[in-house]
């Protein structure tokens, strides 16, 4: 089988085209554990892990976080991910070859590795899909009214997004891009609604915070919404200071106090912990 590009691996992972995946807790000893991929996550087109918001179940425990993909596990070290805090929330390192153990930057625990088993058919399908979508993938769509600046996520490599202009693409391609983007948004909302058991208010809360995060922090803001149920927020709608404490606290922004004595910071921290008494939040 010919060498597999990392771009093809991204496509194979996103669409679950692999034959099987083996979860390894220690690559050097070959220790395997039982697990399953629940959600592959969404492609990240910015700096950081390749996929955001993935979910896996390992030994009956559910983990939510990010996924990084390489051909070999040692590429994690070659790319200096072991020194980058952006990869601290990685729950799974997906590879074809587990040639070394990778450890979390802070905890020093071995990062769970997923070894993909990929056949020729999956590789061919991935390469064909990548080649077919090479031109239509666009970060912005330009309409006859001018630059619409409609951001679009794609499953292609983040370094190969292109800007399409009116004169370089036809009207039919614009329509296809619009329909594709609309389908992706609709599917994402449907998945979110299913995860939240049809609670439309919770879905709106997550989407609103995602929008507030803009392009760079939308995934982080959505995870914040997931970790702070709307039922808790509603209890404090008449107290903006407590609401601020809740959101900052859940975002882990109340752990390190500023230099010197800051009474407002201390008050927010007290409000955060007092408002969560006898309350169990999602992990």
């Amino acid at each position: 089988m010919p060498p597999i590009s990392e771009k093809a691996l991204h496509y194979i992972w996103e669409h679950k085209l692999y034959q099987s995946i083996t979860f390894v807790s220690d690559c050097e000893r070959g220790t395997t554990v039982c697990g399953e991929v629940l959600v592959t996550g969404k492609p990240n087109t910015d700096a950081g892990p390749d996929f955001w918001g993935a979910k896996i179940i390992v030994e009956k425990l559910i983990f939510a976080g990010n996924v990084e993909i390489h051909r070999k596990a040692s590429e994690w070290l070659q790319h200096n991910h072991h020194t980058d805090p952006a990869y601290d929330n990685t729950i799974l390192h997906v590879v074809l070859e587990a040639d070394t153990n990778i450890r979390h930057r802070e905890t020093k625990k071995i990062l769970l590795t997923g070894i993909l088993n990929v056949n020729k058919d999956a590789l061919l399908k991935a390469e064909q899909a990548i080649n077919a979508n090479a031109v239509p993938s666009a970060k912005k769509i330009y309409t006859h009214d001018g630059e619409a600046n409609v951001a679009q996520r794609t499953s292609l490599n983040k370094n190969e997004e292109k800007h399409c202009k009116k004169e370089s693409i036809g009207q039919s391609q614009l329509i296809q891009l619009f329909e594709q983007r609309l389908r992706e948004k609709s599917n994402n909302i449907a998945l979110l609604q299913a995860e939240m058991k049809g609670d439309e208010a919770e879905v709106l809360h997550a989407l609103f915070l995602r929008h507030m995060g803009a392009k760079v922090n939308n995934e982080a803001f959505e995870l914040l919404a997931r970790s702070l149920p709307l039922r808790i927020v509603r209890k404090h709608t008449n107290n903006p200071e407590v609401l601020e404490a809740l959101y900052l606290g859940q975002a882990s922004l109340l752990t390190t106090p500023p230099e010197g004595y800051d009474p407002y910071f201390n008050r927010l921290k007290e409000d955060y912990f007092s408002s969560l008494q006898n309350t169990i939040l999602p992990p």
Side-chain angles (χ1 to χ4, degrees), residues 53 58 123 149 152 156 186 195 214 227 233 236 253 264 273 282-283:
V58 179
L123 175 58
N149 291 345
Q152 175 176 349
L156 301 182
S186 177
E195 290 179 21
S227 71
V233 175
H236 307 282
L253 296 177
Y264 185 65
F273 286 107

Side-chain angles (χ1 to χ4, degrees), residues 54-120:
K55 284 187 179 181
I56 59 176
I57 181 169
V58 179
E59 300 290 350
K60 298 182 180 181
L61 294 176
I62 296 178
F63 296 88
N66 306 326
V67 171
E68 179 67 10
I69 298 177
H70 290 118
R71 287 177 291 267
K72 293 184 178 182
S74 56
E75 292 178 15
W76 180 284
L77 303 176
Q78 296 173 14
H79 298 167
N80 293 319
H81 296 336
H82 60 294
T83 63
D84 191 343
Y87 292 83
D88 288 350
N89 197 33
T90 302
I91 58 172
L92 182 65
H93 189 202
V94 176
V95 300
L96 290 175
E97 181 181 344
D99 57 342
T100 188
N101 281 332
I102 300 300
R103 296 182 180 272
H104 284 280
R105 184 181 65 91
E106 291 186 329
T107 66
K108 305 305 179 184
K109 293 182 179 180
I110 297 176
L111 178 64
L112 183 67
T113 301
I115 305 176
L116 292 184
N117 178 15
V118 180
N119 59 22
K120 291 183 180 180

